[in-house]
Amino acid sequence: LPIEELRSTVLAKIYKGEQEHWPDGKPITVLNRPIESEIRRQFYDIVLKADPTTKFFVPGSPIPVKTMIVQSDLATRKMVASIPNAIGYIPLSSADPTVKILKINEVLPGNAAYELQEK
């Protein structure tokens, strides 16, 4: 069953390496942006409550969580569209029908309650 929405706490767990699989058991491919990018700063601030330079570690180990660094909105969109089970973040203005926009805490972008608003 395809994912339609996530709780913000689950999204944070995915990026912190605390949840590595979707509910159907398939591994999640986590796409991230370069440390210096503004969208990463916003994402880390809103979702992870962390500085964009923060390194997260596999729970119970000294191994850093692996994310795939993607340089642009276009590249992120193309990778999410082509890699099954991938998740990434881009500005809503960069989204198109090739990717699914997930509800966060039961709210879609455009609603004032949507947590991942562009600033």
Side-chain angles (χ1 to χ4, degrees), residues 12-26:
K13 284 181 178 184
I14 290 169
Y15 274 84
K16 290 179 177 180
E18 297 167 6
Q19 179 171 329
E20 299 177 318
H21 296 86
W22 292 114
D24 65 6
K26 293 181 179 163

Side-chain angles (χ1 to χ4, degrees), residues 69-112:
I69 302 298
V70 186
Q71 297 299 320
S72 69
D73 297 342
L74 176 61
T76 301
R77 190 176 70 221
K78 285 183 174 183
M79 291 183 81
V80 166
S82 65
I83 299 173
N85 306 307
I87 188 166
Y89 52 91
I90 58 175
L92 181 59
S93 58
S94 295
D96 71 12
T98 66
V99 294
K100 184 189 309 177
I101 298 168
L102 298 178
K103 287 182 183 178
I104 302 295
N105 300 329
E106 302 177 5
V107 180
L108 279 170
N111 184 312

